[in-house]
């Protein structure tokens, strides 16, 4: 599914961190606008400790084994991990399979540093591990 680059330019302003990367604020705004699906590619224990509310879990190791990525209603896929390294790998992996996505520069660490919400598995305030 192609990423709507025109929408990214108009509404998210492509990140200064490079092509295919967005800032945490841009990702959050796109999720809130219902134009993006957030997909967290960390492991379950990391996700349960603290994740972006509404994010779907699709660990990178499962994606490399051929598992399908959760795709929601034609929305842009925005991938997250702890620092941005695994999500970049996932973007490349998905591209090889014909699915376009962008990743969040700085990952969940940058997300939390910018004061965006982080929730644990029970919906309480979470932490990024």
């Amino acid at each position: 599914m192609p990423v709507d680059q025109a929408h990214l330019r108009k509404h998210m302003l492509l990140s200064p961190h490079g092509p295919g990367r967005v800032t945490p604020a841009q990702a959050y705004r796109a999720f809130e606008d219902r134009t993006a699906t957030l997909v967290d590619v960390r492991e379950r224990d990391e996700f349960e400790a603290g994740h972006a509310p509404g994010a779907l879990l699709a660990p990178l190791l499962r994606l490399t084994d051929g598992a399908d990525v959760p795709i929601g209603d034609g929305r842009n896929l925005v991938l997250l991990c702890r620092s941005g390294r695994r999500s970049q790998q996932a973007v490349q992996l998905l591209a090889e399979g014909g699915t376009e996505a962008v990743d969040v520069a700085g990952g969940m660490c940058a997300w939390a540093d910018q004061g965006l919400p982080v929730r644990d598995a029970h919906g309480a305030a979470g932490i990024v591990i």
Side-chain angles (χ1 to χ4, degrees):
M1 170 177 301
V3 171
D4 184 347
Q5 293 292 334
H7 179 272
L8 291 175
R9 280 189 291 277
K10 182 177 178 186
H11 297 286
M12 295 171 62
L13 305 174
L14 288 177
S15 172
H17 300 287
R21 304 200 88 189
V22 296
T23 67
Q26 291 167 330
Y28 183 69
R29 186 170 42 248
F31 175 74
E32 288 287 300
D33 291 346
R34 306 183 124 231
T35 59
T37 298
L38 299 176
V39 179
D40 194 316
V41 300
R42 296 176 298 154
E43 293 301 311
R44 180 169 298 282
D45 62 329
E46 295 172 285
F47 181 84
E48 289 178 352
H51 60 272
L56 304 174
L57 177 62
L60 177 61
L61 290 177
R62 289 195 49 220
L63 292 177
T64 58
D65 289 340
D68 289 330
V69 66
I71 298 176
D73 304 327
R75 297 177 185 165
N76 292 309
L77 290 179
V78 178
L79 308 184
L80 285 153
C81 67
R82 183 178 185 280
S83 66
R85 187 178 304 170
R86 284 178 281 181
S87 57
Q88 282 186 308
Q89 291 174 347
V91 165
Q92 291 175 344
L93 181 66
L94 291 174
E96 290 170 7
T99 300
E100 292 186 40
V102 296
D103 82 298
V104 176
M108 284 301 299
C109 289
W111 181 282
D113 287 347
Q114 291 184 19
L116 295 172
V118 177
R119 297 288 174 252
D120 70 11
H122 306 290
I127 60 169
V128 178
I129 60 169

